[in-house]
Amino acid sequence: MTRYCLFDLDGTLTDPETGIVASLRHALSVVGVPEVEHERLRAMIGPPLQDGFLLLGVPPERVDDAVRAYRERYADGMYENEVIEGIPAVLETLVAGGWTLAVATSKPAVYAEKILVHFGLDGFFTYVAGATLDGSRRHKADVIRHALDVLGAPPEAAVMIGDRREDVAGAAACRVRSVAVTWGFGQAAEFADPGLIAVVDTPQRLLDVLSQTADTPGTETPSGS
């Protein structure tokens, strides 16, 4: 029976757009990159920061400078954020039902932990798996593997919940099934993988799908919101 649930953070548990976009703008200004339109910055929410700066035109030799500038602004920006409506009730129900919950995020774990504490969500999670500050662990598959190792969870007993292609692809690379959510920063067209159980549009629908998944291990719930 599936009993481990790994949650992405940005765009899945919380909406961090205001703080992240402001921090990206600050970092790009510091390294001299011209103004970037909002939608391109918004699209950077989720994937690893170092990779995102390269896509935004930061020269490779200035990526470390951009990361430092981003983190200076993000010390406050991480709290320019809000919990997705309905998520606390989902977490409470899952824990009460015997699930072990963890966070698996490409954000550095030190920031993810502070955000969860700030919003009173930390008590739901057994472990917070995230990127390292030096970027040596930042891609979603590496984060998921780390979470599974710490939890002692077999891949077939876990489900990854996320809002971006990286969440679904990272889970598949680890032989973990996934559920994609549409209230975050991804597009429905991003979500296509044999391990994808469903694409859902509300926290209640997510809870319904997870309940069905736990009741029928090894089977897939038809995709759809």
Side-chain angles (χ1 to χ4, degrees):
M1 178 178 290
T2 302
R3 282 300 178 191
Y4 295 90
C5 197
L6 311 180
F7 281 87
D8 175 50
L9 178 57
D10 291 339
T12 301
L13 298 176
T14 72
D15 178 357
E17 182 171 348
T18 298
I20 288 180
V21 168
S23 299
L24 288 171
R25 288 196 185 282
H26 171 73
L28 294 174
S29 175
V30 167
V31 298
V33 172
E35 185 75 11
V36 174
E37 59 269 25
H38 181 86
E39 284 305 310
R40 286 190 65 200
L41 297 178
R42 189 178 187 275
M44 292 299 103
I45 300 175
L49 187 60
Q50 293 88 343
D51 300 349
F53 278 131
L54 290 172
L55 291 173
L56 291 171
V58 175
E61 67 274 13
R62 298 301 307 278
V63 167
D64 287 347
D65 295 332
V67 170
R68 278 193 294 272
Y70 174 92
R71 288 176 178 166
E72 289 171 0
R73 172 64 177 78
Y74 193 64
D76 294 322
M78 74 175 85
Y79 303 122
E80 297 173 289
N81 197 347
E82 60 184 47
V83 177
I84 301 295
E85 185 177 357
I87 283 295
V90 168
L91 302 177
E92 183 176 359
T93 300
L94 291 174
V95 170
W99 290 72
T100 297
L101 308 186
V103 169
T105 174
S106 293
K107 182 188 298 299
V110 292
Y111 295 132
E113 290 166 355
K114 290 179 180 178
I115 291 167
L116 293 170
V117 170
H118 179 78
F119 289 110
L121 300 178
D122 54 306
F124 294 112
F125 297 101
T126 298
Y127 186 66
V128 179
T132 53
L133 286 171
D134 66 3
S136 59
R137 182 176 67 237
R138 66 181 187 271
H139 295 114
K140 188 51 66 85
D142 295 330
V143 172
I144 292 172
R145 287 192 190 97
H146 175 64
L148 295 175
D149 287 345
V150 171
L151 295 170
E156 64 273 14
V159 178
M160 177 72 208
I161 314 301
D163 69 310
R164 297 301 308 269
R165 178 184 60 83
E166 289 81 3
D167 299 309
V168 173
C174 299
R175 296 182 295 110
V176 170
R177 292 178 296 164
S178 60
V179 177
V181 306
T182 61
W183 57 76
F185 299 98
Q187 303 295 323
E190 294 185 22
F191 307 127
D193 189 274
L196 183 66
I197 298 169
V199 180
V200 301
D201 60 359
T202 67
Q204 180 57 54
R205 175 62 179 146
L206 171 61
L207 190 57
D208 293 343
V209 167
L210 290 175
S211 298
Q212 295 169 31
T213 301
D215 290 339
T216 55
T219 63
E220 292 187 2
T221 303
S223 295
S225 58

